[in-house]
């Protein structure tokens, strides 16, 4: 903490405190600084300390404490206005607006006092010669708050009509308020149009675009612009997360989660800010927060999660149902206080409407990690007695179940379970042996590897029903599930008898093709399991026996399937088995053709969901063959054919593969959509830490490619919570940290960027190939320097330089030396170390040029040398201290000119390829010539630039830089030429 000994140290201390995070600690420090200011016996010091106190109170949860210091400031102004300088005079009038809003936020302040204050503000602004724009804006806020729409519209129009002056809110805040009003009126498209310049970054301030992003969420959802809403949530929440004063905007993000099926994320947001439940310094934002807490809790209760433990006010354990009741009571009591003050019911009506909202989207995937709460399983009620009017129609249930199973439709197993349940509840119902056989058959299917005994029961019932062929098919199915449990030899033994008997039975005409095919398919599947489970290369015998079994099945069924969907499916599955066997023998192209045939047969039979597995396998083979077009087609087909029947984990895998393929051809935007879907479905499948983390890693990378830095940062931070070297590989972890470092750097969070880059570098340090380690060390050094940590940056650059040297990368080494030189110039090390480092960079370039053995390498090194001379010149020009004597300054400038001249000469040797850097160095040298009193030489350099572009443009292959650069260089050259001519005239 800076010791306060005079006015300057007070100002430094206030500046330091202003940089601290919002909250009580910063406020308390401001109070101490006021006490220190009073000891200085300087009125302006007290005025500035009071202004500082006002500012930190305003940007905190203790806004109610602003009134006392402002009243004191106003009294000081009225008594001795001459004590205020121009800045503090402006600040005093500026803060009138904060007072107006602050009074509205406090229900204990009477409305009459608010109106009186509004009149006082108008009077003082008029006396000071200010526009009424800020006054009308404040009046609009009062009218909108109490629900007086007519007055609000009048004030709104007057606000926009009045001239903007120094008292008007910044453009960003004004547009936010205007858009908010249109959104309140349901004019969402107009609101978003007003917010657009703020959302796009044209206008910003301390609280914008934070507020505009939060306010835009529900309007975007109502308009169906879901992608934008998602992006605004990820980007906006990152901005408000650390700002204690933005409880209202924070509430908007919780509301967004409740309305988009992201209840789990909403709970995470509540857990991050426990103080928001109870902080009472700004009652209006507390009302907003409590209202959306009710919305979220009641949404959880509607999902059957009212008993789930949730974050809430400290001091007790809360369930969602308990917190909903508590928050509703607190919110409505607070709303009632506002309404009593205002004489309207507007605030309570608005709060109730906000609490009662219905979800606008069932589920909007965000890409960030959050496990969706799952409702407890619902136990189906016991079936009613047969005599009840609502008893199920057993014959109808039987008919539907048989239809579904005969046509291989999804949910056939569930349909037969419904038949069994209805039969149990109907005491008078009698099912024949065939019905009971099919019930047992489907029960066994649902049991999977545990269903062998139930298949045996089904076989007995089929035999009792007079269908020996289906009995044998059921036994074959029982044998197959034993193979699924790993008992392949036992399964082959169990299927041998049914196989021999069904062939004999079929030959005698005792059963149909369908039943015989069922046994042959069971045997083929068992032999395929032996292929699947083989460790290492598959034995030739296993492949041969499996292929023979499949071909036997196809010989039986092909040409006899007709319209029987089950038989068509047998043929398609047989071709898929052959595809896999063919691919395993090394003929990937033939395997791909057979997989494509099998998938087409399933689709042609009206069974597209069975094609999914084979389209996915086809995609794998096509990828192996390098056919990315077919890979992408197959993956899209798999998703399309699976439709709503795809399991979440399968959907996640397909989207993830498609993201990689689409991203590989450069379509980062579409790839991001698939990665987002992959993350969502991985979470749904309970695979968030595995597939989900990898999908988030991919999504973050695609967002980085699009320059969506804030969204990418949220996603990548979420991915890092689950990514591990063991599960995903340390390369994925390093790449995620690398991308995140890039995002944080772009967002201006340089210290955090440095931490991520250093973490990545530490892992890469152990890799055999050290280029990534060197690059990350260099990037970390950049971030450390931008964060003001110069000593740490110098060490990191030195480390990177050593790595570049060991790798023989002269360009990296030279750039690290140049960066260290600039750091040295900015620190207490001074100019001498900076010059030595830059000279070292020049030397490294020169040494490398002497041994360069090919023209391309030489050209790159020459260009690097030119840039190094140019930077050396800039460094020398800036190295002369302002208080240095004339000789020292002139010597520094002469040295700078010498280096600039060297740079020009180097760039000239590269001809048009280096025209932009050459002309830039030429102009820099020209200005140095002018500063040294040599106008004729300066003019010569200006003319050289103009001539270079004139000559280059006559060349049809001219590549002398973009049009903007050319225009800028010519304009600067003309300016230099004019300055030189004027200086020559003065000397003449």
């Amino acid at each position: 903490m800076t010791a306060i000994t005079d006015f300057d140290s007070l100002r430094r201390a206030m500046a330091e405190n202003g940089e601290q995070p919002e909250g009580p600690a910063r406020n308390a420090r401001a109070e101490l600084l006021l006490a220190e200011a009073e000891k200085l016996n300087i009125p302006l010091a007290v005025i500035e300390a009071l202004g500082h106190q006002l500012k930190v109170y305003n940007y905190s949860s203790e806004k109610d404490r602003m009134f006392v210091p402002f009243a004191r400031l106003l009294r000081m102004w009225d008594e001795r206005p001459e004590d205020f300088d121009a800045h503090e005079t402006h600040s005093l009038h500026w803060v009138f607006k904060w007072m107006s809003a602050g009074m509205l936020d406090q229900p204990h302040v009477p409305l009459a006092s608010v109106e009186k204050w509004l009149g006082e503000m108008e009077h003082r602004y008029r006396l000071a010669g200010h526009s009424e724009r800020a006054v009308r804006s404040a009046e609009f806020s009062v009218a909108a708050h109490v629900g007086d729409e007519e007055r609000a519209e009048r004030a709104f129009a007057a606000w926009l009509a009045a001239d903007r002056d120094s008292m008007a809110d910044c453009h960003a805040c004004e547009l936010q308020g205007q858009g908010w009003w249109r959104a309140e009126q349901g004019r969402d498209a107009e609101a978003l149009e007003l917010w657009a310049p703020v959302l796009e970054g044209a206008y910003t301030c301390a609280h914008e675009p934070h507020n505009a992003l939060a306010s835009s969420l529900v309007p975007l959802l109502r308009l169906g612009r879901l992608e934008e809403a998602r992006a605004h949530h990820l980007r906006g929440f990152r901005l408000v997360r650390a700002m204690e004063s933005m409880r209202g905007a924070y509430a908007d993000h919780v509301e967004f989660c409740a309305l988009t099926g992201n209840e789990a994320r909403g709970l995470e947001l509540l857990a991050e800010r426990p103080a928001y439940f109870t902080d009472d310094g700004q009652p209006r934002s507390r009302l907003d927060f409590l209202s959306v807490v009710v919305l979220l809790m009641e949404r959880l209760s509607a999902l059957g999660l009212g008993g789930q433990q949730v974050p809430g006010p400290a001091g007790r354990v809360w369930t969602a149902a308990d917190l909903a009741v508590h928050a509703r009571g607190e919110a409505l009591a607070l709303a009632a206080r506002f309404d009593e003050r205002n004489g309207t019911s507007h605030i309570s009506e608005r709060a109730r409407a906000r609490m009662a909202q219905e979800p606008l989207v069932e589920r909007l995937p965000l890409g960030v990690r959050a496990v969706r709460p799952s409702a407890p399983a619902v136990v189906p009620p016991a079936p009613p007695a047969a005599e009840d009017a609502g008893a199920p129609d057993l014959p109808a249930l039987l008919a539907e179940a048989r239809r579904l199973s005969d046509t291989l439709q999804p949910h056939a197993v569930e349909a037969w379970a419904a038949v069994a349940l209805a039969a149990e509840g109907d005491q008078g119902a009698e099912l024949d042996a065939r019905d009971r056989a099919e019930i047992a058959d489907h029960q066994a299917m649902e049991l999977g590897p545990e269903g062998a005994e139930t298949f045996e029961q089904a076989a007995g019932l089929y035999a009792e029903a007079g269908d020996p062929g289906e009995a044998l098919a059921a036994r074959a199915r029982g044998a197959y599930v034993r193979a699924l449990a790993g008992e392949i030899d036992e399964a082959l033994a169990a299927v041998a008898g049914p196989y021999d008997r069904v062939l004999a039975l079929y030959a005698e005409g005792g059963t149909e093709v369908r039943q015989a095919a069922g046994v042959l398919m069971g045997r083929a599947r068992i032999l395929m399991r032996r292929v699947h489970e083989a460790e290492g290369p598959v034995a030739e015998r296993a492949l041969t026996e499996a292929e023979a079994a499949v071909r036997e099945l196809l010989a039986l069924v092909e040409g006899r399937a007709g319209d029987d969907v089950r038989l068509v499916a047998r043929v398609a599955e047989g071709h898929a088995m052959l595809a896999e066997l063919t691919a395993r023998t090394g003929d990937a192209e033939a395997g791909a053709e057979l997989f494509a045939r099998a998938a087409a047969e399933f689709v042609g039979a009206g069974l597209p969901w069975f094609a999914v597995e084979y389209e996915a396998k086809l995609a794998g083979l096509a990828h192996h063959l390098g056919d990315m077009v077919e890979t992408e087609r197959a993956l899209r087909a798999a998703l399309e054919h699976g439709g709503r029947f795809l399991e979440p984990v399968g959907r996640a895998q397909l989207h993830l593969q498609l993201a990689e393929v689409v991203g590989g051809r450069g379509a980062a935007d579409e790839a991001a959509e698939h990665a987002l879907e992959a993350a969502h479905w991985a979470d749904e499948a309970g695979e968030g830490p595995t597939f989900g983390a990898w999908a988030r890693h991919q999504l973050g990378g695609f967002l980085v490619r699009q320059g969506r830095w804030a969204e990418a940062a949220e996603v990548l931070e979420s991915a890092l919570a689950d990514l591990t070297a063991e599960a995903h590989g340390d390369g994925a972890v390093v790449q995620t940290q690398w991308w995140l470092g890039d995002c944080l750097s772009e967002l201006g969070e340089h210290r955090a960027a440095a931490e991520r880059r250093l973490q990545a570098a530490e892992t890469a340090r152990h890799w055999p190939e050290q280029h990534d380690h060197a690059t990350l060390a260099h990037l970390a050094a950049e971030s450390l320097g931008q964060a003001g940590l110069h000593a740490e940056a110098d060490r990191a650059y030195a480390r990177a330089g050593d790595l570049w040297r060991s790798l023989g990368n002269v360009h990296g080494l030279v750039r690290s030396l140049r960066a260290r030189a600039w750091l040295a110039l900015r620190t207490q090390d001074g100019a001498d170390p900076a010059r030595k480092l830059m000279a070292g960079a020049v030397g490294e370039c020169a040494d490398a040029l002497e041994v360069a053995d090919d023209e391309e390498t030489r050209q790159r090194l020459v260009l690097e040398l030119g840039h190094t001379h140019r930077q050396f010149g800039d460094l020398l020009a800036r190295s002369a201290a302002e208080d240095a004597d004339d000789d020292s300054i002139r010597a520094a400038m002469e040295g700078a000119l010498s280096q600039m001249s060297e740079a020009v000469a180097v760039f000239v040797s590269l001809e048009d390829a280096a025209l932009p850097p050459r002309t830039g160095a030429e102009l820099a040298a020209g200005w140095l010539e002018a500063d040294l009193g040599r106008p004729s030489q300066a003019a010569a350099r200006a003319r050289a630039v103009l001539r270079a572009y004139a000559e280059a443009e006559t060349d049809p292959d001219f590549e002398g830089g973009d049009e903007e650069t050319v225009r800028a260089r010519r304009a600067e050259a003309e300016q230099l030429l004019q300055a030189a001519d004027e200086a020559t005239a003065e000397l003449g």
Side-chain angles (χ1 to χ4, degrees), residues 239-263:
L239 292 173
V240 303
R241 172 183 270 146
M243 300 186 72
E244 184 200 42
S245 63
M246 301 203 71
R247 177 164 53 184
Y250 200 99
D252 291 339
H253 287 279
V254 176
E255 178 183 44
F256 167 84
C257 293
L259 297 177
T260 57
N262 286 289
E263 298 84 6

Side-chain angles (χ1 to χ4, degrees), residues 4 95 188 236 437 839:
I4 309 304
V95 173
D188 294 330

Side-chain angles (χ1 to χ4, degrees), residues 886-896:
D886 291 346
D887 289 343
S888 297
I889 293 174
R890 189 172 186 84
M893 293 174 67
E894 291 283 7

Side-chain angles (χ1 to χ4, degrees), residues 708-724:
R708 294 160 65 178
W709 308 112
E711 297 167 64
E714 283 291 302
V715 170
L716 293 167
E717 286 174 346
S718 183
L720 280 172
D722 289 320
L723 281 172
T724 64

